[in-house]
Structures are given as structure tokens and as C-alpha cells.
Amino acid sequence: MSQKEVRVRIAPSPTGDPHVGTAYVALFNYAFARRHGGKFILRIEDTDRARSTTASEEAIIRALRWLGLDWDEGPDKGGPHGPYRQSERGTIYREHAEMLIERGHAYRCFCTPERLAELRGEQQKAKASKMGYDGKCRSLSPEEADERGRGGESFTVRLKMPQEGETVLLDGLRGEIRIPNEQSDDQVLLKSDGMPTYHLANVVDDHLMGISHVIRAEEWISSAPKHLRLYEAFGWEPATFLHLPLLRNNDKNKSKISKRRNPVSLDYYRDTGIIPEAMVNFLALMGWSYGEDQEKFSLEQMVERFDLKEGSVSLSGPVFDLDKLSWLNGLYMRELSDEGLVDALMGWRVNRDYLLRLAPLVRDRIQRFDEFLPLISYCFSGDIDYTPVAALLLPKKRKGGETGKMLERLLDKLDAMPAFEVSAMEETFRLFCEGEEWSTREVFMTVRVGLTGRKASPGLFETMEVIGRELTRRRLRLAANFLKQYKG
Ligand code: GLU
């Protein structure tokens, strides 16, 4: 390894739940930085203004903290290379795009969204081997482009990519990867509203923040030629790239991990009582091994032995196996003293705050304290076995398949809700039932049984709000799967 200071980063886009994939990449970056006495940086890539939310940023930060993956510089901590939120760095990107235009490595493109849509349509129809922008504005003279830009015509800025030959990426984990240049079109760097795209902002920031190693997921390999081209156009020395394997579902095709198969939000694991140290240990096993067949080890132990070089990470697609996670969590649980276990449970859901949320749901339905916990035991439990309640889950005269699909459509609607609150849920359900051939009674019963395993429960929306988005999502997904296979 070269002598330069190790500086690595995790660069999540705050557009959804705190994803296990983010935690996985963060962990490997963290361990690499700590192992080499370097710095680990958190950068928020929120240039997609329509999809980025503060709530998502907060959730990501909370989840990474929960795991104990602390960073040295970041939007909450500051540091010498801030701001660490891309939405606050607009001027930097515009100046850099301008620099590339001046040097002849980028150009203004005046093609309208309509023309681009038409082009895409034609390429799809002709099943063209090369999709993407056809380079029309590349041939405009700089003078003409300047003049049209000054005249107020709307434009984007595109990177001039080489049209022939290949780009050789020297990946620190994978060795040489050769990618034909014809696979990369002239990437938009700056959108017509002056906001940068991921590619420009990412490379400019990696350089300005002194990032020495870009450790990220495999899905970015195809973007690497554009990134290397950007480094070259700016005249900068590129970082070393290392692309980690994607996490896979535990199924036959080993498909890329997805929320249809596995819960992907870290909040789900927190809410189901996974110990953060066990989660970190589990993620560490995704492609890396401690050695000597030892599967249980701490973050400190990992850091002591961790390194990233060719052969140190198995690239075949680590499987995200929930049973294995539970097994590992069990090992951590058994190490806790009775006191430690009680403290952990109180940190989880057995505490005053959670009981206070349950009280209003239950108080009018019971006469004695001893009815309290049995009535809402599903607020403390995990997956539900639907076999004994199948006849309740499935509305009369309905088939399992159609009911499962209905639940999946509802899940899509629930996923789209920004805040998981009673009033928003009421509205979502109302609109959903209006647009469906299902009666409110049928939908409610299936959801109630899917969520609680029971025919009667406190208010449905209140229950959903209390058990939270993650458990709601998980149970309704399992109920949908159960129904789709149910031959009743
Ligand atoms: N913002 C990108 C993401 O969400 C970062 C990819 C990278 O690390 O370059 O994954």
C-alpha cells in the first residue's frame, strides 16, 4: 500500500430506510480506516432533491451510531473538508463543471427532455446495441454553446467520454477489470437546474475530501469508467477503487438482497431485538473471515486482522441468512449476565416509554392488570405463525393468491407513506379501499390477523403505529407469502 494517509468514506443517499447494505459497506470502510490509522468520513449524498429527506438522513445516522460505527468527520461533526452534505456544496460543483467545459472535457447540451425521450424510444424499438445519449451537442462549437447558454436556453453539462477503446479499472479486490468505452455515454454532470449528478459530486468530493480508497458496492463498477475519466479530465490522481460484493437473498437464484425477500432496514433488526454487536459481527462475515473458523468476534478483533487486498474478500455474493443472524445473536445473548439481559431488554421495548404507547390501546379493554400483556403480546413478539389462523386471514369466498396480491398492493402503498402515523394510515387505507374491489371489512380483517394473529385487537392503525413500520411490513409480507401458497 502507498504511504498516503488512509481516508475512506461512506456516502449514503438519504432517500429511504437505513439499509443493511449501507451498514455493510460502512463497516468495511470503518475497519479499513481503523486498521490503517486513517480517517472514516460520513458524507451525505443528497443531490437528488426530490427523493432526499431529512428524516432519512437522521435515520441513517441513528442506525450507524446504533451499530457503533463512529466516523471522524461528517455533517454532524464537521471537519476540515466540509460541508459534508452535498446539497450545501452546489457552488463547488458548478465551478468544477465550468472548469471542465473550459478545458474542453465537457460541453453544454441543449437537447430537450422530449428529444431525449424520443431518442430512448427509438433506441428501444431498434433494440440498439448502444443505448444512451447520441452525442448531438458534442459537436457544437464552444462559441455557439456559450452564446446559447448566455441567451438563457436551458442546458445540461455532459462529460466527453472516449468513444472507442476500453477503460482499465484496477480494482483493489478484483484485479484488472476491462470495460469497453462504448458502454458509457456522455454522462450528464450538471442538470439543467444547476444541481450536479451523483457522478460529478461524488468524484469532486472524493478528491477534495482527500479520499484515498473508494470502498463501495459492486453495483458501482459500471460507473467507474466515468469516474476515472473525471479524475483524468481534472488532472487528479484517482483514488484506489475496491468494490465489495452485493449481499444476496438466501434463495435459489441468490438474487440481490431486496425488501421483498428480506427486511433490509436496520430498524427492523433493532426492533426485533438484535444486539448491535451481533449485527456488526454478522455483517463482517459477509465475504470476510476472521480465520480459524471463528465466527464470533468483536469489532476490535476484526479491526486487528482486517485488510482489503485481492483475495481477502470472497466475491461470490455473501448470503444474508436471517437464521444465521439469529444464531449469532443467541451467542451474544448468552454472554449477558441476568442484569445485562434485563438492561438490554429495557433498552429495547420492555420500558416505560413503550408501555406508555401501549396503555391507550389497552386500557378500556381490560379489567385487571393480568390481562394487559396477554392482550398485546404481539407487540413484543416476532414473526407470526399463520397456520392456526388461516381461516381468519383469508376472507370468505376469496382465494389465497388474490388475497396475497391484494396485501402486496397495500404494502406498496404503506411503503410510500413518508411518516408511519395513524392519520396518514387512515387516509392510505381509505384511498386503497376505494380503488379496490375489496370491501373495507375484508381488507381490515386480513390486515388485523396478519399483524396480530388474532381476530380482535385494539385499533388497527394505532397498533400499526405502535409496532412500527418495520414489523408491520415484515408481518404483512409474510402473511402475503403465506396466503399465496395457501391451499385452503
Ligand atoms: N451515494 C451513493 C450510494 O448511495 C454512493 C456510492 C459510492 O460510494 O460511490 O450508494
Side-chain angles (χ1 to χ4, degrees):
M1 179 166 319
S2 69
Q3 288 310 299
K4 71 178 171 184
E5 189 198 0
V6 166
R7 289 178 57 85
V8 295
R9 80 323 189 253
I10 180 78
S13 300
T15 53
D17 299 319
H19 199 280
V20 286
T22 304
Y24 166 59
V25 176
L27 169 63
F28 279 45
N29 273 282
Y30 173 93
F32 188 75
R34 295 289 170 263
R35 171 77 170 83
H36 292 285
K39 294 275 189 288
F40 173 48
I41 292 141
L42 170 67
R43 180 173 75 227
I44 298 294
E45 299 211 327
D46 57 349
T47 55
D48 184 342
R49 299 311 292 150
R51 293 178 57 228
S52 300
T53 64
T54 312
S56 169
E57 177 183 319
E58 285 166 0
I60 292 170
I61 290 185
R62 200 171 46 235
L64 292 175
R65 283 220 184 97
W66 173 68
L67 290 173
L69 302 176
D70 202 14
W71 45 96
D72 304 297
E73 299 167 27
D76 54 334
K77 290 212 160 143
H81 302 284
Y84 292 89
R85 203 178 275 116
Q86 289 188 328
S87 56
E88 294 163 22
R89 299 171 64 84
T91 320
I92 300 177
Y93 309 126
R94 283 189 286 280
E95 282 169 5
H96 279 80
E98 201 55 48
M99 209 187 286
L100 290 184
I101 297 179
E102 273 163 28
R103 294 185 191 171
H105 295 308
Y107 59 93
R108 292 186 179 80
C109 169
F110 299 93
C111 292
T112 59
E114 293 74 35
R115 170 169 194 273
L116 297 175
E118 215 169 281
L119 179 66
R120 235 187 336 269
E122 279 166 19
Q123 288 170 338
Q124 271 158 3
K125 220 161 58 205
K127 297 206 169 60
S129 58
K130 186 173 180 336
M131 300 287 292
Y133 185 58
D134 60 359
K136 178 164 187 263
C137 294
R138 194 172 172 145
S139 53
L140 291 178
S141 72
E143 296 72 32
E144 183 185 348
D146 271 354
E147 208 178 293
R148 284 172 69 175
R150 268 200 300 274
E153 201 174 328
S154 165
F155 63 86
T156 60
V157 176
R158 287 185 187 269
L159 176 66
K160 274 190 197 163
M161 282 298 290
Q163 290 163 319
E164 282 156 14
E166 57 181 12
T167 298
V168 181
L169 166 68
L170 202 57
D171 185 293
L173 292 173
R174 296 161 191 264
E176 214 175 78
I177 303 176
R178 293 175 174 272
I179 305 168
N181 286 333
E182 58 178 25
Q183 282 177 16
S184 313
D185 66 345
D186 286 355
Q187 176 63 47
V188 172
L189 299 176
L190 214 56
K191 294 180 261 186
S192 55
D193 61 2
M195 283 303 271
T197 56
Y198 153 73
H199 304 276
L200 177 69
N202 184 272
V203 170
V204 166
D205 285 350
D206 280 347
H207 174 74
L208 295 180
M209 295 181 180
I211 300 302
S212 59
H213 298 76
V214 170
I215 306 167
R216 61 182 173 190
E218 179 181 344
E219 61 192 331
W220 300 104
I221 290 180
S222 58
S223 299
K226 293 171 181 174
H227 297 177
L228 287 170
R229 172 75 193 116
L230 276 167
Y231 278 100
E232 187 186 41
F234 283 119
W236 297 333
E237 188 195 336
T240 303
F241 288 89
L242 303 104
H243 289 94
L244 296 170
L246 288 176
L247 305 180
R248 305 271 158 189
N249 290 314
N250 190 15
D251 56 19
K252 265 199 237 88
N253 321 327
K254 284 202 158 193
S255 48
K256 175 181 160 186
I257 192 173
S258 67
K259 64 180 175 197
R260 289 196 180 267
R261 295 289 168 113
N262 276 312
V264 293
S265 167
L266 288 163
D267 292 349
Y268 169 79
Y269 297 96
R270 180 201 59 201
D271 290 352
T272 49
I274 295 293
I275 297 172
E277 287 81 5
M279 189 79 206
V280 166
N281 190 159
F282 175 66
L283 291 172
L285 293 171
M286 299 286 121
W288 187 75
S289 74
Y290 182 74
E292 298 136 37
D293 287 339
Q294 186 177 331
E295 297 212 276
K296 181 172 176 297
F297 49 85
S298 67
L299 182 55
E300 291 70 38
Q301 285 175 302
M302 175 185 185
V303 167
E304 270 168 31
R305 289 202 183 173
F306 192 75
D307 209 355
L308 288 176
K309 45 183 182 283
E310 249 183 272
S312 60
V313 173
S314 150
L315 302 169
S316 60
V319 174
F320 199 82
D321 177 356
L322 294 191
D323 292 337
K324 176 140 188 191
L325 173 59
S326 295
W327 166 78
L328 202 53
N329 202 56
L331 299 184
Y332 279 82
M333 289 253 310
R334 279 191 282 290
E335 278 186 351
L336 296 173
S337 63
D338 288 349
E339 288 241 347
L341 177 58
V342 170
D343 287 344
L345 286 169
M346 285 168 61
W348 177 62
R349 288 198 153 172
V350 189
N351 57 41
R352 187 180 162 83
D353 284 350
Y354 195 56
L355 288 174
L356 264 175
R357 300 183 64 197
L358 295 176
L361 272 65
V362 181
R363 56 176 310 132
D364 294 335
R365 298 171 173 259
I366 57 173
Q367 288 167 313
R368 299 174 0 171
F369 297 158
D370 63 1
E371 296 165 49
F372 187 91
L373 284 179
L375 192 64
I376 37 81
S377 60
Y378 52 81
C379 293
F380 294 92
S381 62
D383 296 348
I384 290 175
D385 177 11
Y386 297 111
T387 316
V389 287
L392 296 173
L393 191 62
L394 184 66
K396 290 203 172 48
K397 303 202 182 111
R398 292 287 189 177
K399 297 246 179 329
E402 57 173 346
T403 313
K405 285 194 190 127
M406 177 276 286
L407 264 190
E408 285 177 348
R409 289 194 296 279
L410 177 64
L411 267 167
D412 287 341
K413 298 275 185 259
L414 293 177
D415 272 349
M417 284 175 38
F420 211 64
E421 289 159 0
V422 169
S423 56
M425 239 127 35
E426 274 166 3
E427 180 68 0
T428 303
F429 268 73
R430 193 180 58 75
L431 288 173
F432 178 76
C433 292
E434 271 174 23
E436 292 276 337
E437 303 275 286
W438 293 71
S439 71
T440 312
R441 198 178 46 78
E442 288 174 316
V443 174
F444 273 48
M445 184 52 98
T446 299
V447 171
R448 187 183 306 280
V449 177
L451 215 55
T452 66
R454 303 176 189 191
K455 191 176 170 182
S457 75
L460 191 57
F461 302 133
E462 286 77 5
T463 304
M464 286 166 69
E465 188 185 79
V466 168
I467 68 171
R469 190 193 282 274
E470 296 311 320
L471 286 189
T472 298
R473 187 189 263 165
R474 164 82 175 174
R475 289 186 188 161
L476 296 186
R477 173 79 54 208
L478 289 180
N481 292 347
F482 175 87
L483 283 164
K484 280 163 69 181
Q485 283 162 22
Y486 182 62
K487 311 255 176 293

